[in-house]
Amino acid sequence: MSVINTAVKPFSATAFHNGKFVDVSDADIKGKWAIFFFYPADFTFVCPTELGDLADYYDELQRMGVEVYSVSTDTHFTHKAWHETSETIGKIQYAMIGDPTGTITRNFEIMREDQGLADRGTFVVDPDGVIQAIEITAEGIGRNAKDLVRKVKAAQYVRAHPDEVCPAKWEEGEQTLAPSLQLVGKI
């Protein structure tokens, strides 16, 4: 069963954000676009490359009205230690949520129960708190923040233009499609 087109379940947690520990909950995403970026664990190998890549696009996402939350089953204390000891992680300005109980990870249905770790999962959430896009990859496959930005732009476009859809590899400013009976079989 997929969580696509479902509302984010209630949660509350502590995050490391801009040098402080802050409380974060589902109330923080109401009325905003959000990305939940799950990863297996701090102090690992592929994870810092992904988180650093996402950090490089954070300013652009902010300009688009999107807040980013990285989530792992580590604690917020571990996030702080990693942030202070890794040059790559040190550039992160988005909230790093600690989910040691696994509640948020289970809410998004990506917990590896036998390991207590999250799968690599990315969730784009609209201002109504509804999940609009999901990407889940296996352990050794890192994600691409540039393509994530493209997907968010497509989701925002479709929300603003409900009678249009974005075709494969759509980039901002390119032609969209208007689904209709006349279009069936013409693509």
Side-chain angles (χ1 to χ4, degrees):
M1 177 176 213
S2 174
V3 294
I4 195 79
N5 289 321
T6 66
V8 172
K9 294 178 183 175
F11 72 90
S12 63
T14 304
F16 179 71
H17 188 217
N18 291 328
K20 299 177 184 171
F21 294 133
V22 297
D23 293 327
V24 179
S25 75
D26 54 295
D28 293 312
I29 66 169
K30 300 287 187 222
K32 303 174 192 170
W33 285 90
I35 293 171
F36 285 85
F37 197 83
F38 290 86
Y39 63 97
D42 291 358
F43 296 100
T44 56
F45 313 103
V46 175
C47 299
T49 66
E50 293 182 306
L51 295 170
D53 182 41
L54 186 57
D56 292 340
Y57 286 89
Y58 183 62
D59 287 341
E60 182 176 355
L61 289 163
Q62 289 278 277
R63 287 190 298 276
M64 294 166 54
V66 181
E67 193 49 68
V68 175
Y69 302 93
S70 65
V71 186
S72 75
T73 56
D74 298 291
T75 67
H76 54 286
F77 298 110
T78 306
H79 293 332
K80 178 183 184 297
W82 198 24
H83 196 273
E84 292 175 350
T85 58
S86 168
E87 184 177 326
T88 299
I89 300 305
K91 67 183 178 180
I92 292 174
Q93 296 177 0
Y94 49 80
M96 300 178 73
I97 298 176
D99 185 29
T101 66
T103 300
I104 304 167
T105 306
R106 285 185 187 90
N107 284 354
F108 283 82
E109 298 184 8
I110 58 165
M111 174 65 85
R112 296 182 206 164
E113 290 296 342
D114 61 331
Q115 298 174 353
L117 301 174
D119 277 326
R120 293 187 194 292
T122 308
F123 298 81
V124 176
V125 180
D126 73 16
D128 296 321
V130 176
I131 299 167
Q132 294 298 318
I134 299 172
E135 178 183 15
I136 299 173
T137 65
E139 177 67 28
I141 303 170
R143 294 161 281 182
N144 182 329
K146 180 179 180 182
D147 194 51
L148 174 58
V149 169
R150 184 193 66 78
K151 289 175 188 175
V152 171
K153 287 178 180 179
Q156 289 179 333
Y157 185 91
V158 169
R159 181 178 173 93
H161 304 88
D163 295 330
E164 298 177 45
V165 294
C166 297
K169 299 194 291 186
W170 178 86
E171 294 286 344
E172 187 174 30
E174 291 182 353
Q175 187 173 4
T176 58
L177 301 173
S180 68
L181 186 58
Q182 292 73 30
L183 193 59
V184 174
K186 303 281 195 273
I187 298 174

